Amino acid sequence: MRIIKYVLVIILFYSCTIDKSSIELFQRLNDSIQFKYAPDKRVAIYDISFKSEENILVLEGETDNAVALEELKENLADNNINFEDRVVVLPDSSVGEFVYALANNSVSNLRSKGKHSAELVTQVILGTELKVLKKHGSFTLVQTPEKYIAWVDNGGITFLNENKFKNWKDSERLIYIKNIGNSYQDEGFSMVLTDMVLGGKVKIIEELESSFKVEFPDGRNGFVKKEEAERYSKWLIHLKPSKELIESYAKSLLGSPYLWGGTSTKGMDCSGFVKTVYLMNGFVTPRDASQQILAGKIVDENLKLEGLKKGDLMFFGSKATKDKKQRVTHVGIWLGNDRQEFIHSSKRVRINSMNSELDIFDTWCSENYLGSRRYLDVEDKEFLKL
């Protein structure tokens, strides 16, 4: 970094214009800050570019990290470089006071771009708390609790200011504990209001004999059957994450369809399946398999299926070579039995084995096993605990 600063000074001393080679140097400095603060574009935004305008370096683009931008500006100033800051720090002015949002549907789809035809990259379930970064047309760029950044259709969320968000956090809420079901417009359950999925949360208005009267984020009122839900505060108090509970939730999802980008009981991809299972054990895990492998404690370093415990995450993909880095493309959950079984979402949620003598042996997973991680009883900043 010090060498780059010296070179910048020399260039500007002998040149009265900011030429192409100078811009390339500026970009190298910019790239180093991006690598430091936003190496993963899925969870951080640092999209800053440079241009020369009347012998002034003009900074353009956007970032969600004001500290990173300030470091860039300090480096430029230290080298006596004249610049103009036109970078937008998110949340931008389109957001106004509504800096938070709640998922308003049983499942809200998040996409790579602000349009319905864009790739489905993840989902959030009812009541998920989101940070709002910017709005564009009928879509909004949001950040999920696991820091994933993507676009959501405005119909799938309700916007909140600071006060309303605090009221939501302080309210008595309900968590849905059945895989799939419904809420109803009436106490007699004769008319469906909306569907519900495992882990969804709504505000409790009143506890009745056979139901909870609830309020959805957008203000709709409905009724949820008592046997299908619990008070969220009570559920949290009694939640005891364990290997057995992980297995129980994982097996309850057997047969659920595979859905690229899915994270709900309606359909899920491999890492979305892991995310759902661990959410009901009190964990907010990283979203993708390539992120999940960076969290937790490394186990089975020798890839011999030794030292694994039920509930450990198993990762699969392309192994590293002298020319290519390791590429993680799949994840499953080890079931810890003498049949070497694991459960994963591939075509559907199903159980396979690493034992070649069994009819449920998975050849691809066996040949592309990359190692395992343990989340239970591990403290790690890469995942949150409810």
Side-chain angles (χ1 to χ4, degrees), residues 255-259 268 330 344-350:
S256 297
Y258 180 91
L259 174 64
M268 59 204 78
H330 191 57
H344 60 145
S345 182
S346 174
K347 300 181 181 178
R348 61 190 175 280
V349 177
R350 57 190 174 125

Side-chain angles (χ1 to χ4, degrees), residues 215-276:
E215 180 182 314
F216 283 73
D218 63 356
R220 287 176 296 166
N221 290 346
F223 298 84
V224 176
K225 293 178 180 179
K226 268 190 175 179
E227 66 265 25
E228 297 179 358
E230 287 187 26
R231 289 180 178 272
Y232 183 57
S233 57
K234 180 180 177 181
W235 179 79
L236 275 179
I237 290 172
H238 292 98
L239 179 63
K240 304 295 182 186
S242 68
K243 297 176 289 184
E244 291 72 27
L245 192 60
I246 287 174
E247 180 178 28
S248 176
Y249 273 114
K251 287 185 173 179
S252 76
L253 298 172
L254 280 168
S256 297
Y258 180 91
L259 174 64
W260 177 270
T263 64
S264 81
T265 47
K266 286 184 176 182
M268 59 204 78
D269 58 25
C270 61
S271 54
F273 166 65
V274 166
K275 186 178 184 304
T276 298

Side-chain angles (χ1 to χ4, degrees), residues 88 125 177 383:
V88 175
I125 57 178
I177 59 173
F383 53 73

